[in-house]
């Protein structure tokens, strides 16, 4: 359905140059991601040369460099790749589902929903491991996604109203979180280190435990590309093309819940990545959501790792948590987006 | 609508608004009285009244004047300041969501206070000063960001959300990097609390209200005209630029004073004016009914925070945030249904 549309509207030569350009920029994106990965392993309070990194990467020994790479930087980098991909994809799916360029897991409160689940699990049920509380993060994220879409309305909904629905839910959830934490010193201490959004100091097996959920979420999101393309024409046109808007939304919410819940359980709420990644991906890839999703999968980790490296460099020898860096990079983008366009075009 | 004339001065009075304002004020004072009587040492109402009249015994005087009255007065005045500030902002932005907490002012005040508390190591009045500076700086930044061939009200709200998100991240970083005890104190302040307030805080917010509320009342006459659009307002002889500037500055000042005394208490400024408007059956709440509603809401919220929850002495900000979030959800849902 969608491919026939493309064939009708595009002259073949134009289509082929566009495809070529897309592949080239995807390659550039992959190169940027590779650079970010290398930097993330090499740069830190003790910067290692690329040669040493390469050598200890394949031949671990007892040297300090080997310990740093294998114990600290490599797990952190892998976690960053997983979380970055998850948040980038989650943002893209949310924006496609709501046809709203301001939709973002952080702004819409989905991350905070996951946080609330985690806080309840930690404070009331005494659950300490990521595999334990990830389920509560899922429940929280799912409830909030459903509520945001319900409150903001699934039909004709203005971007601003959806953001406001998120803000109002955020305040209720914040109240719940603080009501729990204000009387619980130990839980508060853990929460503040988690709430800031950081890739550092996470348990080493966090990524391994969360990998199944992340992979499932990524697969669902990527598989939705074609249906989301149909949905972008509007519910009625999508139905006329043979798609099922309700089913697409349900699967989309499932993907967002899995991705966002797992990412938040892993490293706390990280703001604005889900806003910036789809925006950049749209600039590069055009309107086809299959391509946008592919770009998000690459740009998300690249952006998160780059922010993380930046956080290590900016205030060295101390570190800025990556959540702070992404907020400081992403909020100006949000402001610029709101300023530049007319509100009706948002 | 009744018009009172005395010489060159004429005042239009909306009797129902006045009545609603008076009733709300009485409710606020009644709940405040209840708050004065209850606590770890219950004091009978008669004793409290006698003490307030200056004829109480030493023990009751201590409890009333040192422990409870500062808190109760802070609550009343902060609520009134937030309510008045909210109705002015909502009028100026022509938007029910244009309250100080939504346009990012209270978060800015919080950042100022946190910098004083956690980076500079100050306390008391310095924290309040930090909050006021933070609030004013943030409001200027947001206004400049939203200004583009005139300010579009909704853009102001969105800019506020963006700037709030940025400052929120900065705030949670400041809390993350400090010692646990300081962090807990800062966090309680950040939620908005009237626990353990002293006469210092009462003075801060009282001065704010006494200076700015008359100003807001005087220029607030023009709010209805301003909401109709600049051209119409000019045609009716309203000094548009001056009224708007004075009102905006006074509303920022009221929000800043309230936040300096009690921390960024959520949603009172958002919810008080429309509820007051609904009660007085007018399209927009006057300044006095909104202020009375704010005082009543926050005082009642403080009672709930002290008595209705299992945990001891929950910050009142938690109660208002929970209630306000429900209210805002209802507002969004209701508006959607109306379309």
């Amino acid at each position: 359905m969608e491919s026939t549309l493309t064939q009708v509207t595009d002259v073949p030569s134009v289509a082929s140059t566009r495809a070529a350009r897309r592949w080239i920029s995807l390659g550039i994106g992959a190169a940027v991601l590779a650079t970010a990965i290398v930097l993330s392993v090499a740069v830190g309070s003790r910067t290692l040369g690329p040669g040493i990194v390469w050598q200890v990467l394949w031949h671990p020994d007892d040297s300090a460099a080997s310990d740093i790479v294998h114990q600290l930087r490599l797990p952190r980098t892998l976690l960053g790749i997983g979380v970055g991909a998850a948040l980038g994809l989650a943002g893209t799916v949310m924006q496609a589902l709501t046809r709203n360029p301001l939709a973002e897991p952080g702004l819409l409160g989905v991350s905070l929903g996951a946080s609330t689940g985690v806080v309840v699990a930690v404070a009331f049920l005494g659950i300490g491991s990521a595999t334990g509380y990830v389920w509560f993060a899922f429940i929280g994220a799912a409830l909030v996604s459903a509520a945001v879409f319900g409150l903001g309305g699934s039909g004709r909904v203005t971007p601003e109203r959806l953001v406001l629905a998120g803000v109002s839910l955020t305040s209720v959830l914040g109240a719940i979180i603080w009501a729990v934490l204000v009387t619980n010193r130990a839980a508060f201490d853990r929460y503040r280190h988690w709430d800031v959004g950081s890739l550092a100091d996470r348990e080493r097996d966090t990524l391994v435990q969360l990998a199944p959920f992340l992979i499932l979420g990524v697969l669902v999101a990527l598989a939705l590309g074609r249906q989301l393309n149909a949905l972008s024409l509007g519910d009625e046109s999508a139905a006329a093309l043979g798609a099922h808007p309700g089913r697409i939304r349900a699967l989309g919410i499932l993907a967002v819940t899995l991705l966002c819940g797992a990412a938040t359980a892993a490293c706390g709420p990280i703001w604005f990545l889900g806003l910036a990644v789809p925006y950049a991906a749209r600039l590069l890839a055009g309107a086809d959501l299959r391509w946008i999703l592919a770009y998000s999968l690459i740009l998300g980790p690249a952006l998160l790792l780059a922010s993380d490296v930046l956080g290590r460099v900016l205030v060295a020898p101390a570190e800025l948590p990556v959540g702070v860096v992404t907020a400081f990079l992403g909020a100006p983008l949000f402001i610029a987006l709101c300023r530049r366009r007319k509100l009706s075009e948002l | 609508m009744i018009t009172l004339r005395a010489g060159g001065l004429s005042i239009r009075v909306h009797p129902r608004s006045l009545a609603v304002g008076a009733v709300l004020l009485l409710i606020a004072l009644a709940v405040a009285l209840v708050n004065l009587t209850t606590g770890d040492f219950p004091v009978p109402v008669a004793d409290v009244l006698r003490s307030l009249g200056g004829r109480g015994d030493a023990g009751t005087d201590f409890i009333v004047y040192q422990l409870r009255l500062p808190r109760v007065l802070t609550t009343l005045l902060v609520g009134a300041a937030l309510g008045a500030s909210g109705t002015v902002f909502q009028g100026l932005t022509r938007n029910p969501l244009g309250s100080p907490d939504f346009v990012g002012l209270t978060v800015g005040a919080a950042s100022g206070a946190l910098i004083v508390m956690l980076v500079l190591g100050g306390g008391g009045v310095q924290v309040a000063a930090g909050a006021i500076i933070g609030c004013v700086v943030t409001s200027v930044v947001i206004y400049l960001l939203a200004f583009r061939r005139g300010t579009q009200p909704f853009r102001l709200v969105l800019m506020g959300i963006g700037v709030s998100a940025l400052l929120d991240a900065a705030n949670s970083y400041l809390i993350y990097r400090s010692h646990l005890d300081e962090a807990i104190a800062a966090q309680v302040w950040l939620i908005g609390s009237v626990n353990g307030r002293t006469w210092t805080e009462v003075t801060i917010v009282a001065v704010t209200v006494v200076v700015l509320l008359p100003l807001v009342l005087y220029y607030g006459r023009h709010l209805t005209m301003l909401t109709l659009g600049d051209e119409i307002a000019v045609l009716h002889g309203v000094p548009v630029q001056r009224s708007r500037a004075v009102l905006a500055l006074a509303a920022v000042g009221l929000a800043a004073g309230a936040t300096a005394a009690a921390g960024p208490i959520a949603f009172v400024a958002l919810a008080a004016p429309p509820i007051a408007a609904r009660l007085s059956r007018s399209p927009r709440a006057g300044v006095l009914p909104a202020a009375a509603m704010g005082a009543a809401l926050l005082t009642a919220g403080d009672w709930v925070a002290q008595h209705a929850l299992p945990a001891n002495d929950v910050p009142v900000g938690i109660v208002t945030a929970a209630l306000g979030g429900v209210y805002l959800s209802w507002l969004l849902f209701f508006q959607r249904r109306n379309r």
Side-chain angles (χ1 to χ4, degrees):
Chain A
M1 41 175 190
E2 189 277 335
S3 54
T4 48
L5 274 178
T6 318
Q7 279 163 11
V8 172
T9 49
D10 284 339
V11 181
S13 65
V14 176
S16 66
T17 48
R18 184 190 289 168
R21 204 185 302 143
R22 278 171 173 167
W23 281 111
I24 290 169
S25 12
L26 200 62
I28 295 173
V32 171
L33 174 59
T35 315
I37 292 173
V38 170
L39 284 177
S40 173
V41 177
V43 176
S45 54
R46 184 170 158 190
T47 297
L48 307 169
I52 297 175
V53 170
W54 188 254
Q55 197 204 328
V56 297
L57 194 58
W58 302 112
H59 308 286
D61 50 37
D62 295 333
S63 67
S66 173
D67 270 359
I68 291 174
V69 168
H70 285 280
Q71 302 295 323
L72 299 175
R73 303 246 175 99
L74 211 53
R76 181 174 180 165
T77 306
L78 291 174
L79 186 63
I81 294 173
V83 169
L87 289 176
L89 277 180
T92 306
V93 172
M94 287 192 90
Q95 298 195 358
L97 280 183
T98 57
R99 288 178 228 132
N100 178 346
L102 297 182
E104 198 256 340
L107 276 177
L108 294 196
V110 179
S111 300
L112 204 66
S115 303
T116 313
V118 173
V119 167
V120 168
V122 169
F124 288 133
L125 307 172
I127 296 169
S129 73
T131 31
Y133 57 61
V134 70
W135 295 104
F136 292 88
F138 287 144
I139 295 171
L143 288 178
V144 172
S145 334
V148 166
F149 289 123
L151 279 178
S154 52
R156 283 184 52 77
V157 53
T158 59
E160 307 87 39
R161 177 151 296 172
L162 201 68
V163 171
L164 290 172
V167 170
S168 63
L169 279 170
T170 304
S171 89
V172 179
L173 295 170
I176 295 172
I177 290 179
W178 293 122
V180 172
L181 290 182
V182 79
T183 49
N184 191 334
R185 260 177 87 90
F188 171 75
D189 196 26
R190 287 177 67 179
Y191 180 76
R192 70 180 175 136
H193 285 101
W194 180 79
D195 173 54
V196 75
S198 168
L199 293 173
D201 311 326
R202 301 297 160 193
E203 290 165 43
R204 280 201 59 202
D205 49 353
T206 304
L207 183 66
V208 181
Q209 290 169 348
L210 297 179
F213 307 108
L214 285 174
I215 292 170
L216 185 62
V218 167
L219 290 178
V220 173
L222 288 179
L224 273 176
R226 182 180 282 270
Q227 279 95 322
L228 287 175
N229 267 340
L231 198 66
S232 69
L233 301 172
D235 281 14
E236 283 166 15
S237 313
L241 287 169
H244 302 275
R247 199 185 296 165
I248 300 172
R249 284 220 171 74
L251 283 172
I253 291 177
L254 174 72
V256 169
T257 302
L258 283 171
L259 293 167
C260 210
T264 308
C267 60
I270 290 180
W271 287 61
F272 286 118
L273 200 69
L275 180 81
V277 167
Y279 179 71
R282 257 199 316 275
L283 279 184
L284 291 170
D288 189 339
L289 274 156
R290 292 170 300 178
W291 282 94
I292 297 179
L293 286 168
Y295 275 80
S296 303
L297 192 60
I298 288 179
L299 293 178
L303 198 59
L304 190 66
L305 288 179
S307 308
D308 192 35
V309 172
L310 204 60
R312 287 180 233 171
V313 176
L314 279 180
V315 290
E319 276 192 17
L320 277 178
V322 68
V324 176
V325 180
T326 56
F328 272 78
L329 294 176
L333 173 73
F334 174 80
I335 288 168
L337 273 179
C338 295
R339 257 177 77 84
R340 207 190 59 189
R341 305 183 183 203
K342 285 186 195 142
L343 287 168
S344 55
E345 291 169 7
L346 276 173
Chain B
M1 196 73 81
I2 301 168
T3 310
L4 301 178
R5 288 181 201 281
L9 191 72
S10 71
I11 306 169
R12 283 180 309 154
V13 182
H14 193 272
R16 191 176 166 100
S17 294
L18 267 190
V20 166
V23 170
L24 286 173
L25 194 62
L26 284 178
I27 292 176
L29 290 176
V31 180
L33 192 62
V34 172
N35 281 351
L36 280 177
T37 60
T38 50
D40 289 340
F41 295 96
V43 183
V45 180
D47 287 2
V48 169
L49 289 176
R50 205 173 298 134
S51 190
L52 288 177
R55 290 180 286 108
D57 59 89
T60 316
D61 274 0
F62 175 75
I63 291 177
V64 170
Y65 283 102
Q66 295 306 312
L67 301 180
R68 297 199 186 143
L69 198 57
R71 175 179 187 151
V72 166
L73 282 179
T74 308
T75 314
L76 280 173
L77 289 166
V78 165
L82 288 175
S85 173
T87 192
V88 171
F89 265 111
Q90 288 169 355
L92 285 179
T93 58
R94 293 175 222 163
N95 190 315
L97 296 166
S99 80
D101 24 10
F102 261 79
V103 295
L105 299 191
T106 45
V107 185
S111 295
L114 282 191
I115 288 173
V116 172
M117 264 193 256
L118 299 175
V119 180
L120 307 175
V125 182
Q126 291 155 326
V127 173
I132 291 172
I133 294 171
C135 187
V136 172
V137 170
T138 313
S139 61
V140 172
V141 168
I142 291 172
Y143 186 80
L144 290 178
L145 281 175
F147 192 87
R148 194 174 168 226
R149 277 177 257 125
T151 44
Q152 219 181 338
F154 222 113
R155 200 186 296 140
L156 204 65
V157 176
L158 286 176
M159 292 301 136
I161 290 176
V163 172
S164 301
L166 188 79
L167 293 173
D168 266 334
N171 289 351
S172 61
Y173 175 63
L174 286 175
I175 285 181
Y176 157 85
R177 63 182 278 284
S178 52
H179 295 293
L180 181 56
D181 288 319
E182 287 179 335
I184 289 178
Q187 184 61 55
V188 169
W189 193 90
L190 208 56
I191 299 168
S193 167
V194 287
N195 298 1
R197 291 302 183 261
T198 61
W199 288 103
T200 318
E201 282 86 7
V202 177
T203 315
I204 293 171
V205 64
V207 169
T208 315
V209 170
V210 167
V211 173
L212 295 177
L213 198 60
L215 212 59
V216 169
L217 279 174
Y218 183 74
Y219 282 96
R221 300 170 301 153
H222 302 319
L223 261 180
T224 314
M225 280 300 163
L226 286 174
T227 55
L228 293 176
D230 289 6
E231 291 85 358
I232 295 176
V234 170
L235 282 178
H236 283 79
V238 174
V240 170
Q241 297 302 334
R242 184 163 39 120
S243 304
R244 185 175 290 149
V246 171
L247 280 171
L249 283 176
V252 169
L254 283 169
T259 310
I265 287 178
F267 281 108
V268 172
L270 177 83
I275 298 176
R278 195 156 286 233
L279 289 177
S280 50
R281 291 198 195 138
S282 65
R284 223 182 42 74
V287 173
L288 276 184
M293 188 74 224
L297 270 184
L298 196 58
T299 314
D302 192 37
W303 185 86
V304 172
Q306 287 187 68
H307 302 290
L309 296 174
N312 201 18
D313 246 4
V314 170
V316 66
I318 291 179
V319 176
T320 60
L323 293 178
V326 172
Y327 164 76
L328 187 59
S329 307
W330 174 82
L331 191 75
L332 288 164
F333 197 70
F334 186 73
Q335 282 190 346
R336 183 168 73 92
R337 281 291 155 87
N338 268 357
R339 294 219 160 155

